[in-house]
């Protein structure tokens, strides 16, 4: 299958996609591999190194993670990942130490599927980091039983190329899925997700995309409330500098029988230069009549009065810009519950700001 056989950008779900960026990334020559050791956080549990889409057993400590064949979906990008992958299967009431995965790409294309299945009342935490260059294509299937809880944090820090993520999640009664992304590298990215929430389930899905140069990053996320009493929150922040483009498309669908649903979307973009572009598309499709759903979308620039005030107090302009931008991004990253993980994400965002401002 050719990279160029992706759905047309004329299709609504792919309107801001970058198939040429994927093709260019897949053609990048091989380079020296980055050292994954420095990208692991100070957390107990599994430490898994993935090199060009293949788990390096000798460099990994799998703990409860197993390696097996994972069936992919028929999604245009996910279909390429079918084959050997990693899986986290937890029995009822089980609680696993955190699972950390560092994906190292050295050029060309690499694909990898994953399957996370938590039985009733099980709890898990997964932290993933992407570094290197090339096209890293991933598919993750998540299945949560009754009252199961999964916390995920994903750092997209590749220096070049493209990272594409397709995620499909099914949340059982009272289950909770909290996922936070940070696009803080120089690679193009696409976060593509479909989440189905059962009765009383909670889904929080969002993060921050930071773009500079000619970079393009996007998310296309749809949460479907299939049963009553569910909650979802999609909070995304985008910061665009130079001639870059950040695109956020977030949809909530409420089925006819999903009464008492509470769905919220908050999409905000910040332009550091007027040559940059931020696209926002919140969407609500409501077929029930007893719901509480809201969305908001705004794009703007740094507050000139706040900048002037800070400079009048002796703060250099670049420092003032960094402080205001960090505050703008903070509400997306502050939702990460683990302090160690949250601090790492904030440090990554600060490093991006130092380069961009």
């Amino acid at each position: 299958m050719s990279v160029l056989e992706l759905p047309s950008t004329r299709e609504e779900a792919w309107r801001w996609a970058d198939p040429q960026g994927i093709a260019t990334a897949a053609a990048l020559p091989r380079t020296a591999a980055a050292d994954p050791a420095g990208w692991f956080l100070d957390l107990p549990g599994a430490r898994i190194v993935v090199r060009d889409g293949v788990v390096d057993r000798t460099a990994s400590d799998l703990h409860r993670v197993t390696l097996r064949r994972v069936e992919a979906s028929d999604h245009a990008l996910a279909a390429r990942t079918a084959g050997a992958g990693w899986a986290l299967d937890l029995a009822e009431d089980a609680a696993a130490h955190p699972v950390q995965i560092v994906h190292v790409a050295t050029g060309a294309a690499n694909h990898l599927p994953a399957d996370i299945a938590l039985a009733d009342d099980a709890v898990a935490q997964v932290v993933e980091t992407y570094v290197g260059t090339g096209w890293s294509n991933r598919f993750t299937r998540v299945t949560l039983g009754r009252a199961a809880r999964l916390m995920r944090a994903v750092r997209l820090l590749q220096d070049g190329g493209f990272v594409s993520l397709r995620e499909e999640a099914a949340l059982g009664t009272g289950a909770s899925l909290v996922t936070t992304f940070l696009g803080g590298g120089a690679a193009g990215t696409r976060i593509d997700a479909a989440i189905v929430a059962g009765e009383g389930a909670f889904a929080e899905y969002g993060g921050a995309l930071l773009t500079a140069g000619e970079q393009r990053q996007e998310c296309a996320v749809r949460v479907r409330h299939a049963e009553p009493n569910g909650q979802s929150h999609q909070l995304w922040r985008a910061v665009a500098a130079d001639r870059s483009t950040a695109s956020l498309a977030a949809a909530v669908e409420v089925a006819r029988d999903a009464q008492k649903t509470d769905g919220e979307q908050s999409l905000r973009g910040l332009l550091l230069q007027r040559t940059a572009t931020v696209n926002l598309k919140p969407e609500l499709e409501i077929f029930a009549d007893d719901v509480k759903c809201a969305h908001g979308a705004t794009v703007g620039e740094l507050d000139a009065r706040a900048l002037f005030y800070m400079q009048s107090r002796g703060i250099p302009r670049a420092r003032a810009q960094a402080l205001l931008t960090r505050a703008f991004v903070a509400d997306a990253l502050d939702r990460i519950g683990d302090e160690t993980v949250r601090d790492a994400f904030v440090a990554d965002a600060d490093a991006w700001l130092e380069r961009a401002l």
Side-chain angles (χ1 to χ4, degrees), residues 109-128:
N110 67 85
H111 313 277
L112 182 70
D115 193 352
I116 302 173
L118 308 186
D120 296 352
D121 296 302
V123 180
Q125 178 183 0
V126 177
V127 180
E128 297 185 63

Side-chain angles (χ1 to χ4, degrees), residues 17-354:
D18 185 14
Q20 186 55 51
I22 293 176
T24 301
L28 289 172
R30 295 290 184 183
T31 61
D35 181 6
W39 295 103
F40 287 108
L41 306 182
D42 186 18
L43 297 172
R47 294 191 171 195
I48 300 171
V49 176
V50 176
R51 301 184 190 276
D52 291 324
V54 178
V55 174
D56 185 340
R57 290 174 177 262
T58 61
S60 302
D61 185 355
L62 298 178
H63 277 236
R64 294 194 179 192
V65 171
T66 59
L67 305 181
R68 60 173 171 82
R69 180 177 178 81
V70 176
E71 296 297 328
S73 75
D74 58 1
H75 180 270
L77 297 180
R80 300 170 184 269
T81 69
W86 64 271
L88 177 63
D89 300 292
L90 293 185
E92 186 173 349
D93 292 323
H97 284 302
V99 174
Q100 291 191 75
I101 305 173
V102 175
H103 302 262
V104 181
T106 65
N110 67 85
H111 313 277
L112 182 70
D115 193 352
I116 302 173
L118 308 186
D120 296 352
D121 296 302
V123 180
Q125 178 183 0
V126 177
V127 180
E128 297 185 63
T129 302
Y130 290 81
V131 297
T133 186
W135 178 27
S136 299
N137 183 41
R138 300 291 183 266
F139 168 63
T140 303
R141 177 183 289 109
V142 174
T143 307
L144 303 183
R146 177 184 52 80
R149 290 175 291 151
L150 175 63
M151 293 143 284
R152 293 185 63 230
V154 182
R155 299 192 291 171
L156 306 173
L157 303 179
Q158 280 196 192
D159 294 325
F162 201 97
V163 179
S164 54
L165 308 178
R166 169 62 178 178
E167 313 212 336
E168 298 178 2
L171 281 55
T173 301
S176 172
L177 171 65
V178 178
T179 304
T180 304
F181 296 88
L182 173 64
T189 65
R190 176 178 170 88
I191 300 165
D192 188 325
I195 302 162
V196 179
E199 183 173 1
F202 175 79
E204 184 170 290
Y205 211 86
L209 302 183
L210 314 177
T211 66
E214 301 287 337
Q215 184 182 11
R216 293 174 63 176
Q217 295 197 72
E218 67 162 325
C219 78
V221 178
R222 174 172 288 269
V223 176
R224 182 175 189 271
H225 290 277
E227 298 182 52
N229 301 309
Q231 293 186 59
S232 65
H233 299 278
Q234 295 187 66
L235 188 149
W236 291 94
R237 299 291 180 261
V239 180
D242 306 318
R243 299 183 63 84
S244 64
T245 301
S247 302
L248 306 174
V252 172
E253 177 185 346
V254 182
R256 188 175 303 278
D257 295 328
Q259 305 293 344
K260 305 295 184 181
T261 290
D262 184 350
E264 179 186 3
Q265 297 168 300
S266 174
L267 311 182
R268 295 177 61 192
L270 178 64
L271 299 175
L272 297 185
Q273 287 89 30
R274 294 190 178 183
T275 51
T277 301
V278 172
N279 299 307
L280 305 180
K281 183 175 180 283
E283 183 179 356
L284 298 175
E285 295 183 12
I286 302 173
F287 300 97
D289 55 13
D290 185 6
V291 301
K292 180 183 177 182
C293 293
H295 65 71
T298 60
V299 178
E301 299 175 284
L302 290 173
D303 189 324
R305 289 176 297 180
L307 278 174
F308 177 79
Y309 175 82
M310 295 173 75
Q311 289 178 270
S312 70
R313 294 300 184 268
I315 300 174
R317 181 176 178 83
R319 178 60 177 163
Q321 288 177 315
L323 289 172
L324 291 174
T325 306
R326 181 179 179 179
F328 176 81
V329 172
D331 56 351
L333 304 183
D334 285 349
R335 293 170 177 261
I336 300 173
D338 188 296
E339 183 178 0
T340 299
V341 179
R342 184 171 62 251
D343 288 347
F345 275 57
V346 170
D348 293 333
D350 286 345
W352 183 89
L353 288 170
E354 289 182 5

